[in-house]
Amino acid sequence: MSLTTFAGSAQFAIVSVLGAGGTAAAAIAAAILLNLRYGPMALSAASVFRGGKLRRLLEAQLLVDESWALAQRDGRFDRRVMIGAGLALYVGWSTGTAVGVLAGDSLGDPATLGLDAAFPALFLALLSPLLRNRNALAAALIGAGIALALTPITPAGIPVIAATAACLVGLRRPAPEGQEKRA
Amino acid sequence: MSAAWTAVLVVGLATVAIKAAGPVLAGGRELPQSSARVVNLLAPALLAALVATQAFASDESLVVDERGAGLAAAGVAILLRAPLLLVVVVAAVTAATLRAIS
């Protein structure tokens, strides 16, 4: 599955739904809801993809949270960074899955190493350089607010998708000229 | 076909389609300025939502645990202009240390 659905959180969702005795349909729905966030992510990067439709389709598959976030460079999206990071993650993730299947029991709980705290920190570090104007800051705060508010009342996956609505602040309050140029 | 393999296959195909939609339909050209302003804000909104959920969500409830402390430490490291890798390590070490002593 690591080979066909390059998206870790959806894998965990399927495993936890099926593991809890859920149906295949429920597992599929949960995983697709989680992966819907790649729609807006890929759209935000769409203008930098080049070449024919098939090439864009294949390159887009290397998009995951981490490669997409690492490719944010000074407010632009660097396609080559995403492809490089995506390939490295794909190889690492697939090998890691195989190692985990073979040797999973001998490893400790990753939480002991604080690995679960590494991901929010990575995303925060990648977010901070984007917050150069008031619109970006507003979008980030509203996005985080929406995600936290919806977490207790919606299934996993919905909060992050709903948070994308925060980008609509771009319609309401155009940034002053000077800041727009730097963005 | 077992439930697990059905799920693997269907989700795999759906994910390919979701990821490809934007770049295939809108790739290779600049967006008009008004929609570019909105699309540019997708990145901060999504990243902030990922930060929030990865740090404070546990299944479907909100918790403040060692991940939150790690995130706060990461915030300090970012303000001190620490490099990316150091920021991540600071967060992991903070969370691991707090877990070890609690």
Side-chain angles (χ1 to χ4, degrees):
Chain A
M1 179 169 188
S2 289
L3 297 172
T4 57
T5 305
F6 184 36
S9 49
Q11 296 184 13
F12 294 126
I14 292 183
V15 170
S16 61
V17 171
L18 290 180
T23 62
I28 290 168
I32 289 179
L33 278 177
L34 279 169
N35 281 353
L36 277 179
R37 72 180 183 282
Y38 292 126
M41 276 189 195
L43 181 61
S44 78
S47 67
V48 304
F49 284 88
R50 296 282 180 269
K53 278 194 162 55
L54 183 65
R55 179 162 158 215
R56 297 205 295 263
L57 186 147
L58 291 176
E59 287 185 0
Q61 301 313 314
L62 292 170
L63 183 138
V64 281
D65 296 346
E66 293 81 4
S67 67
W68 174 81
L70 285 170
Q72 305 287 337
R73 286 292 147 95
D74 302 319
R76 292 182 314 108
F77 187 86
D78 191 327
R79 188 179 120 268
R80 282 169 305 173
V81 172
M82 191 213 75
I83 290 173
L87 283 174
L89 284 161
Y90 186 72
V91 173
W93 183 256
S94 303
T95 335
T97 306
V99 171
V101 168
L102 298 173
D105 293 342
S106 61
L107 291 172
D109 182 355
T112 324
L113 302 173
L115 291 186
D116 53 344
F119 287 103
L122 172 66
F123 293 131
L124 182 65
L126 295 164
L127 168 65
S128 62
L130 300 181
L131 304 176
R132 277 159 312 171
N133 59 50
R134 227 184 283 162
N135 270 358
L137 188 61
L141 289 176
I142 297 171
I146 293 173
L148 289 179
L150 291 184
T151 295
I153 51 176
T154 58
I158 300 283
V160 171
I161 298 161
T164 58
C167 74
L168 294 177
V169 297
L171 286 180
R172 220 159 39 82
R173 291 188 303 175
E177 271 303 305
Q179 290 181 328
E180 191 79 328
K181 273 185 198 129
R182 264 182 290 138
Chain B
M1 202 156 54
S2 76
W5 282 110
T6 310
V8 166
L9 208 64
V10 174
V11 172
L13 290 174
T15 305
V16 167
I18 291 167
K19 286 185 181 178
V24 168
L25 299 177
R29 59 174 163 223
E30 297 298 322
L31 294 164
Q33 241 225 322
S34 56
S35 41
R37 260 212 316 271
V38 171
V39 169
N40 283 342
L41 293 179
L42 277 173
L46 276 168
L47 273 173
L50 286 171
V51 170
T53 51
Q54 301 252 350
F56 301 112
S58 179
D59 292 327
E60 283 174 29
S61 55
L62 293 176
V63 290
V64 177
D65 58 15
E66 291 86 352
R67 291 173 300 167
L71 186 65
V76 173
I78 290 168
L79 289 178
L80 296 174
R81 301 187 176 280
L84 179 73
L85 194 59
L86 184 61
V87 171
V88 174
V89 171
V90 163
V93 168
T94 305
T97 309
L98 287 175
R99 284 202 183 105
I101 59 178
S102 61

